[in-house]
């Protein structure tokens, strides 16, 4: 069994012994447990304030792709948007403390931050309040300010929702009602890699069903790319081919080889398949997405309906 080339957690200020303790704590909790018990395990960690995956701020890579590659996002808020009308809708599943939710709000989206943990949602609301208080005191971070250079003059609304990503209850409870057109943007970062392999087909199918077929975009920050998938998880090691295979065949159970790599021999896609529009290496990302020399390993991929 290979070792992790880069610790998959927030390593700021942590020594090797502490990092290995984090890895052991996570894996021992989830090892051999049924996927149905995973939400309970995540909530336990939140209650213990054990959140080594929390980055302490929003994704620089997401900010970059939204700012520099506007051509990929036809539904994005802009100077041409009528700010008196409903804003485009965004979703962040497994949002944790909601750093990326607040970032998307600054980009003008009405954002739904979704997590299965009630404790996580309490922490997200505290985080939102702290950001608002800093803004009121003139100490706000620029990353959370409306993107006026992109024509965004007003932040989007933020809604915190507790629920199971794979069920519909949270959609109705959120006030969004039944998703008629779907979300205009969905951001997946530490959600896909937290799912065991058996949940991946339904992950892809669910994303396909939630994404607006008319201009909606799924943004995946692919991480951890330098982790051997045979070492288990969470987080499970991922690859560009893994996203390509599952999002091209939503709901379909795909075979894996003895190295833990997906085997997709079929060039045909299944109904609801998403296509990859772009895959880029961001100039900046969280420390966990870099190698030991500080080089960016993360990739950002953008997807749409066929």
């Amino acid at each position: 069994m290979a070792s992790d080339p880069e610790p998959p957690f927030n390593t700021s200020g942590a020594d090797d012994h502490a990092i290995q303790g984090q890895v052991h704590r996570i894996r021992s909790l989830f090892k051999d447990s049924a996927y149905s018990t995973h939400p309970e395990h995540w909530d336990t960690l939140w209650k213990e304030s054990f959140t080594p995956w929390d980055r302490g701020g929003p994704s620089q890579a997401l900010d970059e792709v939204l700012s520099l590659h506007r051509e990929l996002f036809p539904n994005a808020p802009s100077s041409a948007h009528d700010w008196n009308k409903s804003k485009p809708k965004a979703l962040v599943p497994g949002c944790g403390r909601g750093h990326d939710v607040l970032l998307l709000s600054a980009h003008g989206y009405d954002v739904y931050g979704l997590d299965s943990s009630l404790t996580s949602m309490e922490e997200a609301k505290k985080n939102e309040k702290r950001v608002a208080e800093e803004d009121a005191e003139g100490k706000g971070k620029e990353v959370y300010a409306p993107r006026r250079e992109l024509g965004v003059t007003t932040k989007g609304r933020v809604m915190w929702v507790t629920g199971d990503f794979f069920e519909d209850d949270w959609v109705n409870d959120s006030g969004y009602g039944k998703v008629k057109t779907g979300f205009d943007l969905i951001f997946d970062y530490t959600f896909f890699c937290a799912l065991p392999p058996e949940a991946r087909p339904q992950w892809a199918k669910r994303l396909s069903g939630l994404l607006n077929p008319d201009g909606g975009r799924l943004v995946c920050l692919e991480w951890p790319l330098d982790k051997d998938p045979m070492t288990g998880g969470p987080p499970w090691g991922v690859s560009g081919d893994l996203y390509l295979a599952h999002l091209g065949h939503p709901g379909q159970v795909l075979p894996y080889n003895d190295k833990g790599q997906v085997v997709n021999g079929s060039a045909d896609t299944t109904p609801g398949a998403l296509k990859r529009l772009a895959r880029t290496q961001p100039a900046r990302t969280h420390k966990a997405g870099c190698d030991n020399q500080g080089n960016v390993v993360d990739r950002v991929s953008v997807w749409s309906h066929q």
Side-chain angles (χ1 to χ4, degrees):
M1 182 176 292
S3 61
D4 296 343
E6 174 73 7
F9 302 120
N10 184 3
T11 61
S12 177
D15 58 26
D16 290 342
H17 180 73
I19 292 168
Q20 293 306 316
Q22 292 173 352
V23 172
H24 178 74
R25 174 78 177 100
I26 295 283
R27 294 184 181 172
S28 63
L29 187 62
F30 287 88
K31 184 179 180 181
D32 300 326
S33 63
Y35 176 63
S36 60
T37 67
H38 284 203
E40 178 183 344
H41 294 329
W42 289 117
D43 193 49
T44 295
L45 294 173
W46 276 104
K47 288 177 178 176
E48 296 176 359
S49 297
F50 185 86
T51 58
W53 58 84
D54 183 77
R55 306 305 189 208
S59 168
Q60 297 171 317
L62 174 61
D63 194 22
E64 178 182 299
V65 74
L66 293 176
S67 299
L68 301 183
H69 298 281
R70 300 284 285 177
E71 73 281 359
L72 293 174
F73 302 93
N75 295 357
S78 68
S79 56
H81 185 79
D82 184 347
W83 294 100
N84 292 318
K85 294 184 179 180
S86 177
K87 297 179 178 65
K89 304 293 190 296
L91 171 68
V92 182
C95 69
R97 286 193 172 87
H99 306 297
D100 297 314
V101 172
L102 300 179
L103 173 66
L104 288 170
S105 170
H107 277 270
Y109 290 90
D110 281 346
V111 196
Y112 294 77
L114 173 68
D115 207 289
S116 62
S117 168
L118 280 169
T119 310
S120 166
M121 290 293 87
E122 292 170 359
E123 290 296 314
K125 291 174 183 177
K126 291 177 184 177
N127 190 32
E128 180 185 22
K129 182 179 179 181
R130 178 187 58 79
V131 169
E133 290 173 347
E134 290 177 351
D135 285 344
E137 296 171 359
K139 302 176 183 178
K141 296 180 180 178
E142 186 176 348
V143 71
Y144 293 132
R147 291 300 194 273
R148 297 186 183 280
E149 71 277 13
L150 301 176
V152 176
T153 58
T154 307
K155 287 185 180 183
R157 293 185 304 152
V158 169
M159 283 69 66
W160 305 112
V161 187
T162 305
D164 183 342
F165 171 75
F166 296 100
E167 301 295 335
D168 287 329
D169 291 350
W170 65 266
V171 178
N172 299 322
D173 294 343
S174 68
Y176 187 36
K178 293 183 178 179
V179 180
K180 296 179 181 179
T181 59
F183 289 95
D184 298 290
L185 190 148
I186 302 175
F187 179 53
D188 186 298
Y189 177 21
T190 54
F191 188 66
F192 179 59
C193 67
L195 297 174
E198 61 265 28
R200 292 169 181 168
Q202 290 307 309
W203 167 85
K205 183 177 181 179
R206 183 61 166 163
L207 285 174
S208 175
L210 290 172
L211 191 65
N212 186 351
D214 185 14
R217 296 293 185 262
L218 166 67
V219 179
C220 294
L221 180 49
E222 301 176 5
W223 175 87
L225 290 170
D226 55 358
K227 182 174 187 287
D228 186 339
M230 294 301 290
T231 61
W236 274 264
V238 300
S239 68
D241 288 342
L242 188 64
Y243 288 87
L244 199 63
H246 280 289
L247 290 172
H249 301 81
Q252 183 176 330
V253 178
L254 302 176
Y256 285 72
N257 62 24
D258 58 5
K259 296 181 179 180
Q261 300 165 332
V262 68
V263 178
N264 178 24
S266 172
D268 297 329
T269 56
T270 55
L274 301 183
K275 65 179 179 180
R276 190 169 66 190
L277 302 177
R279 187 173 189 258
T280 65
Q281 179 181 8
R284 298 183 302 164
T285 192
H286 293 297
K287 182 178 179 180
C290 299
D291 64 18
N292 293 330
Q293 287 72 48
N295 301 308
V296 173
V297 177
D298 284 348
R299 295 294 185 270
V300 175
S301 54
V302 181
W303 308 75
S304 73
H305 280 281
Q306 299 279 1

